[in-house]
Structure formats: C-alpha cells, structure tokens
Amino acid sequence: MDWLTTIAVILDSTIRLSIPLLCAALAGLWSERSGVVDIGLEGKMLVAAFASAVAAFVTGSAWAGLGAGILASVLLSLVHGFAAITWRGNQIVSGVAINMLAAGVTVVLGNAWYGQGGRTPPLEGAARFGDLTLPFAGAMREHVPVLGLLYDEVISGHGAPVYLAILAVPITAFVLKRTRFGLRLRAVGENPAAVDTAGISVAGLRYGAVVICGVLCGLGGTYLAVSQSAGFLPQMTAGKGFIALAAVIFANWRPWPALGACLLFGLLDAIAIRLQGVLLPGIGQVPVQAIQALPYLLTVILLAGFIGKAVPPKASGLPYVKER
Amino acid sequence: MSATPIDLPRWADAGLVPLVSVTAALLVAGLVVLGIGESPLEATALLLKGALGSIEGLGFTLYYTTNFIFTGLAVAVAFHAGLFNIGGEGQATIAGIFLALACLWLAPLPGILLVPLAILAGAAGGALYGFIPGWLQATRGSHVVITTIMFNFLAATLSVYLLVNVMGKPGSMQAETPEFAGHAVLTPMHQLLAPLGIKLPATPLNTAFLLALAALVAIWALIYRSRLGYAIRTVGANPRAAAYAGISPARMTMVAMALSGALAGGLAVNEAMGVQHRLLIDFTAGYGFVGIAVGLMGRGHPVGVALSAFLFGVLYQGGAELSFDKPTITRDMVVVIGGVVILFAGALDGLFRKLVANGLRLRRVA
C-alpha cells in the first residue's frame, strides 16, 4: 500500500470516527447556547443507539431505526428540560442521572428482550444504512489523480447519517447566526432576563434548544448502532458524549470550529488505532493510551487557560427565575 | 444545593422529601420490571431476601455498603463546599494505583506498618487527584465538573497503560497486579470475629467496613463540629460572605476536593486490600457514580449517607441474588435505580418538595 492510500484510509476512518462526536457536539452546542448545560449527551446517544437498533431489527428498516433513535433521545431530552427548565433543578445532576439511567436501562431491556448479554441481534440488509456512492466517484478515481482517490475513498461511500450530520453544521451555523430564532436562542443563553423583558418565552426557547439537542444526539446514536456497527452493544458510546463536550469547549461554542475539533479528535483516534503495535523511528512504540488521552488532556489544559480561553455562554447552567 | 422558595419543616426536608423521591424512584424501577414481564412484588421479595434474609447475604450487603459510604461521603464533602465532584471513579482509580504500589514495594515491612502506610498511600493518591481539579478551579477558573469528567477518563487510560505495561502480573491474561503479600491485606470480618467465638459464614466483608464507619463519624465531626468544616460550609453557602469573613474560598475549594478525593480512595482500600488482594482493572465498577446518588439522597449528612449507602448495599446484593433467580432482571437494574434516584433527589428536588409541601398543607386543612 502506497502512502497516499494509507492517508486516504486514515482520513476515511477519521470521518467515520468523527461523526458521532460531531452529532453530540452540535447537540451540546445548541443546548448550551440556550443556557442549558447538558452532561447527558452520552446517555442520550446510548439510548438512541439502543432504540434505533431495536426498531431497525423489528421493522427491517434503517430509517425506522433513525426515527426511533431520535424519538427516544428527544424523550430523554424532555426529561432533562423538565428538570432543568421547569423545575430549575441542577442541570449537571440531571445530566449525570440521564447517563446512568441510559447505561442501566439499555442493558436491562436488551438482556430481557434478546438474552444476548445486552446486545441486540445483528442487523442485515435494509436494516442498516448502506454506503452511498456519490456521483462520479468511480470515474474520478480512475481519471483524476490524487483528488479522485481522496474523493472516492474519503468523501464518498458513507451511510446517509454521515451526510446528514455534516449537513447539520452549516444549518446550525446559519440558524444560530442568521435567523431570528437563532438570535433569540443565543440571547437566552447570554441574558435570559433581557429576552424575558422583550416578551419572549425563555422556557419556550430553551425547550426548543433541548429538543434540537435530542434530535442530534438521536442521529449520533443511530449512526453508531445502525450505520457504523450492525447492532447495539452495551456501553457502545464509550465516552464519546464526553469527548463531544470537550469538542464544544474547544470550539468555543461555535459550529464550524466544532466540526474542526471533532475531526481532530477523530483523527487522533484513527491514528491511535493505526499505531497499535507500530514502532516509530526514534520514539519506539507509542502507547495507544497516550493518544487516546490527548483530547481529555488538551481540554483540561485549554480550560486552565494555558492555550487560549474558553468562554461559555454567560447564563449556561443557570436556571432562569423570573423576578416578580 | 440551591435554595428553594418552598418552606418545609426540617424533619420533612431531611426525611420526608428523600423518602418520597426514593419511593418514586423504586416505583419507576418497578415499571421497568413490569415492562420486561416480571412481577415487581416478587422481584422485591427476592431482592430483600437475598440482601437481608441470611447472615451471609447481610455480609455481602455490608461489603457493598462500605464502598458506597466512601464514595457517598466523598460527594457529600465536596457538596458542602458547593462543589460537584463527579470524579470519584478517577480518584479511586489513582488511589488504587498508589495503594498497590505501596503494597508491592513496601512488602518487606511488617503488616502493622505496611497496612496503615498502604491505606495512607491510597488516600494520598485520591487526595492528589481530587486536589488538582480543585486547584485548577481555584486558580485558573476551570470548572470542577468538566475537569473531573476529563480526569475520570485520564485515570482510566493511565490505569490501563500501567496495568498492561508496567505494574501488570507477568504472564497474566488479565490486566492485574501480582497478588499482595498475605500481611498486606485487610482481615475479613469472619476471621476477625472467629477468636471471639462468633462464627460467621465467609463473605467479602472486611475491616474496611470499620474504617468506613470511622470515616462517617470523623466527617460528621469535621463538617459540623470543627472550624475547618464551618469554613467549608460557609464557602458552600455563600463564597462572597465567606471571603468577607476572612475565609479563602480558593483554599477551601482545594481542601474540600482533596478531602473528597481521599474519601473516594476508600473504595480502593475496600476493593483491592480488603477483597481482591490485588489491583484489578476497572475495579471502581461505577461505585463512584452511585456515590453521587448516595450523597444526594443522604442530603450530605453522614447519617443520611450511611442510610442511603445501606439502601444501595441492599440493592446491589439483592440485585445480584435476584439476577441469579431471574436471569431477565440483570444487576444493571440497580444502575437504573441509581440514575432515577439522582434525577429525583437531585435534579427534580423542587418538584418533590412541592409535592410534599402540598401534601402537608392538605393534611392541615383536613
């Protein structure tokens, strides 16, 4: 294998590994921009992965799986919204609860329904998202050097959720920046009292953001179970929701940088897998764990203000209490 | 915890509200049991019988309780300083590494020195790993919640690396350290009590349980009867007032986080020195997260922590027996209950306070 193919393969797996991070990061971004901190991204993705795998298995349709995944994730989001917005509860506590609940419920139900240690039966055929070949992929590979190969290998040949997730980046950027809804939503995250004074419902906007957050987590979870893998495995999110949280901080709560951060973390992951057991000249064997730990380590260093400053929305994490 | 405008008598706030929210949590769990086609009543009966129906079952229950007392106290102490420490898993993991190093390196020492030194090493490891996020929040403004999440993952990857490549037992397929020397471990309770003529069946319950009880008393004295505890609580209630009164919020943040980490280290003492007699990978097994439920439900008070730790001990042991009898109900049901308890007792606190307040008013009217 020549070096170009190697790079193409690494970039391809970078995209695959970044997608769940991207979905969860955009989800967290929406929620936090409205002032609702969401530690429960992980739990929502996990529940979505489970629900989508079950629905896809039962109906034999990957799209039904996506619907079920989004529905389950939005329901959990509403639980979070109920606690955090309506009852002004501690948002972090609620997020932790959602993560635990999801970790337990998926295994209990999976085990009771299928008796395979929490796994769902393998998905085949139309129950999985097939890889889409973009137009001209084959022809470009043959006739255009380098770019053609990259186009065919990296850009083309992913399942539908991948393209939906990437499409969500410009949509998020546009809605947040250029629409009235987005402006109001950002205002609610910075200064809810001002929004309230203008006669706009703080709770309404925050519930809206929380639901969008649920939809995106649903997409991410479905991608994991119905597109990337062929079924649900216990704990299959494996901390991706938390890395996504790190990506949101990295991106300073902005959509395009969030895409960049997720691609970077995905690339690190792809390299870590690639480097397993490989001896590097001059360095020797790099422990895989060292690369896996990098996103977490970088986030801690970033948060400590050693590389740039992370500025969250001003009202994030604070329940809004109307003054009388 | 945030102040709520709903006024409740103290007994209702400390007793009734947690009781109602736990009952509601158990009802939700009952619905899940119903959903998978089993009888919740039968399941509850099996669970209680498994946890409390025999001396052996009770021994296992108290062994789990020991873990939850430590992790619950860790969360409670941080809470008093207004900090939400979700890093118990990571702190216990690092404590385990320190403790295992002490047990293995200092093995030539006699047990009377080795055991306390190893426990102290574990506590120091946990304290250090709690202190760093506290220090980062106090001096650099990075939020403890986010840093402790990241630190949990960092501890997990570090322990995988160390146990696989550095400290691991040569030739073992599992990631684990070699077994500790016989004099480096804690005595099981059944052995401790045998010379007194008390015969108990063999259970993992060991002297770490006594250590946990001592920690409950010590933390009670520290939080409610000492100058330091007063300072911690003042910072938690109102950092600006505390600063005005000459208490440094930054210092108390670091002290409380270190103390919290040291307590989480107790989990490693019970698991590694008391039961496994070696350091296993992922020995924390989610006890740190359940500790959040224990701390929240116990309202941060050592008596409450002891009671809720015992409740979760019953659920863990009973759950294990239950999953033996009913394979469809796995032990993960306990995780579900833990999650719902955290949701109800922590985040939906306001709702349950309102319900209790309404209930009390109705009774007065009637």
Side-chain angles (χ1 to χ4, degrees):
Chain A
M1 205 162 29
D2 63 314
W3 62 270
L4 187 64
T5 325
T6 311
I7 289 179
V9 168
I10 289 182
L11 289 181
D12 182 53
S13 58
T14 297
I15 298 220
R16 287 169 198 278
L17 293 164
S18 306
I19 293 303
L21 300 180
L22 180 62
C23 293
L26 289 176
L29 193 144
W30 273 98
S31 183
E32 297 203 3
R33 267 303 175 97
S34 80
V36 179
V37 166
D38 196 350
I39 306 267
L41 300 171
E42 175 90 0
K44 275 180 244 175
M45 280 213 290
L46 196 62
V47 161
F50 178 73
S52 64
V54 170
F57 176 72
V58 173
T59 61
S61 152
W63 290 100
L66 180 62
I70 288 178
L71 187 69
S73 167
V74 167
L75 281 177
L76 262 192
S77 273
L78 289 175
V79 170
H80 185 57
F82 182 64
I85 303 166
T86 305
W87 284 99
R88 298 181 207 114
N90 187 319
Q91 302 175 0
I92 289 159
V93 174
S94 166
V96 170
I98 283 170
N99 286 335
M100 266 185 89
L101 193 61
V105 147
T106 48
V107 179
V108 169
L109 292 183
N111 201 59
W113 290 346
Y114 300 110
Q116 299 178 4
R119 272 190 281 169
T120 59
L123 303 172
E124 286 156 359
R128 269 187 84 184
F129 282 104
D131 291 344
L132 303 175
T133 309
L134 294 191
F136 316 119
M140 277 196 47
R141 189 184 186 122
E142 264 176 47
H143 301 298
V144 187
V146 186
L147 278 181
L149 175 76
L150 289 180
Y151 179 74
D152 183 42
E153 193 75 37
V154 182
I155 313 281
S156 169
H158 297 284
V162 172
Y163 300 108
L164 287 177
I166 291 173
L167 201 63
V169 179
I171 295 177
T172 299
F174 178 79
V175 173
L176 277 182
K177 199 158 188 190
R178 305 254 175 241
T179 65
R180 182 149 64 165
F181 172 66
L183 176 70
R184 287 175 173 178
L185 195 117
R186 281 186 291 138
V188 138
E190 299 289 340
N191 191 345
V195 174
D196 197 20
T197 313
I200 304 158
S201 162
V202 171
L205 280 167
R206 286 190 168 172
Y207 267 109
V210 158
V211 167
I212 294 171
C213 166
V215 171
L216 286 163
C217 281
L219 179 64
T222 308
Y223 170 75
L224 279 175
V226 184
S227 190
Q228 196 181 41
S229 320
F232 174 83
L233 298 167
Q235 309 299 332
M236 79 183 304
T237 45
K240 292 192 176 62
F242 296 110
I243 296 207
L245 219 56
V248 176
I249 296 167
F250 247 78
N252 242 323
W253 291 265
R254 283 170 300 163
W256 286 107
L259 174 66
C262 293
L263 286 174
L264 172 70
F265 292 167
L267 178 68
L268 285 177
D269 221 7
I271 291 175
I273 294 168
R274 193 87 199 162
L275 279 184
Q276 214 130 27
V278 175
L279 285 170
L280 289 185
I283 308 172
Q285 193 172 334
V286 179
V288 181
Q289 290 85 12
I291 301 174
Q292 282 169 343
L294 263 181
Y296 306 115
L297 203 60
L298 286 175
T299 308
V300 171
I301 295 171
L302 179 84
L303 279 172
F306 292 117
I307 39 169
K309 187 118 187 74
V311 188
K314 270 201 203 67
S316 71
L318 303 174
Y320 177 63
V321 185
K322 213 182 177 100
E323 280 177 54
R324 288 171 204 284
Chain B
M1 272 165 260
S2 60
T4 25
I6 304 160
D7 271 329
L8 281 178
R10 204 175 128 72
W11 64 270
D13 185 40
L16 205 53
V17 176
L19 202 66
V20 170
S21 49
V22 170
T23 312
L26 292 176
L27 285 178
V28 170
L31 284 180
V32 178
V33 172
L34 209 60
I36 57 183
E38 297 282 351
S39 150
L41 284 180
E42 195 195 348
T44 313
L46 279 172
L47 191 144
L48 289 177
K49 191 164 154 272
L52 305 167
S54 65
I55 302 283
E56 195 189 0
L58 190 65
F60 273 89
T61 298
L62 290 178
Y63 143 67
Y64 289 118
T65 305
T66 309
N67 284 340
F68 295 133
I69 289 177
F70 283 125
T71 55
L73 274 182
V75 172
V77 165
F79 241 133
H80 280 292
L83 300 161
F84 191 51
N85 176 17
I86 36 184
E89 292 272 309
Q91 286 141 20
T93 302
I94 299 297
I97 291 169
F98 273 58
L99 175 151
L101 285 176
C103 283
L104 295 169
W105 282 351
L106 304 177
L109 291 178
I112 195 149
L113 280 174
L114 179 53
V115 169
L117 277 177
I119 293 175
L120 282 179
L128 178 71
Y129 212 61
F131 169 79
I132 300 171
W135 173 74
L136 285 172
Q137 166 154 340
T139 63
R140 315 284 319 183
S142 36
H143 206 284
V144 150
V145 169
I146 302 287
T147 37
T148 49
I149 290 177
M150 302 299 150
F151 268 49
N152 280 343
F153 287 102
L154 289 173
T157 43
L158 180 68
S159 81
V160 171
Y161 174 73
L162 289 178
L163 283 177
V164 171
N165 300 318
V166 184
M167 295 164 69
K169 182 173 156 190
S172 169
M173 292 306 288
Q174 238 187 326
E176 60 180 22
T177 64
E179 195 161 338
F180 300 160
H183 62 283
V185 298
L186 296 174
T187 321
M189 283 305 237
H190 57 91
Q191 278 179 25
L192 189 76
L193 296 177
L196 304 174
I198 305 170
K199 279 215 184 80
L200 294 177
T203 64
L205 184 65
N206 61 79
T207 44
F209 177 61
L210 304 178
L211 203 62
L213 295 181
L216 282 171
V217 178
I219 292 299
W220 173 80
L222 178 93
I223 293 290
Y224 295 102
R225 287 291 178 272
S226 82
R227 194 182 277 246
L228 178 66
Y230 179 75
I232 288 179
R233 282 186 293 138
T234 311
V235 168
N238 188 339
R240 288 177 63 186
Y244 192 68
I247 301 165
S248 155
R251 221 180 119 226
M252 285 310 127
T253 299
M254 294 187 268
V255 169
M257 281 303 290
L259 197 58
S260 177
L263 285 164
L267 171 59
V269 173
N270 188 37
E271 284 292 325
M273 283 178 81
V275 184
Q276 312 289 355
H277 301 169
R278 74 192 75 146
L279 192 68
L280 292 169
I281 205 138
D282 287 337
F283 72 93
T284 52
Y287 292 115
F289 290 119
V290 177
I292 299 169
V294 172
L296 284 173
M297 216 173 90
R299 286 277 189 266
H301 194 284
V303 173
V305 168
L307 289 175
S308 47
F310 183 68
L311 175 73
F312 273 97
V314 168
L315 290 174
Y316 255 64
Q317 166 56 14
E321 292 285 318
L322 179 62
S323 65
F324 196 70
D325 288 328
K326 298 256 173 215
T328 48
I329 307 177
T330 59
R331 288 185 61 183
D332 298 275
M333 190 59 96
V334 185
V335 180
V336 178
I337 299 176
V340 185
V341 166
I342 296 179
L343 184 68
F344 286 178
L348 278 169
D349 193 51
L351 171 66
F352 284 95
R353 289 173 65 93
K354 180 112 195 243
L355 288 177
V356 168
N358 286 349
L360 289 177
R361 203 172 306 132
L362 275 180
R363 209 188 50 177
R364 220 172 296 137
V365 172

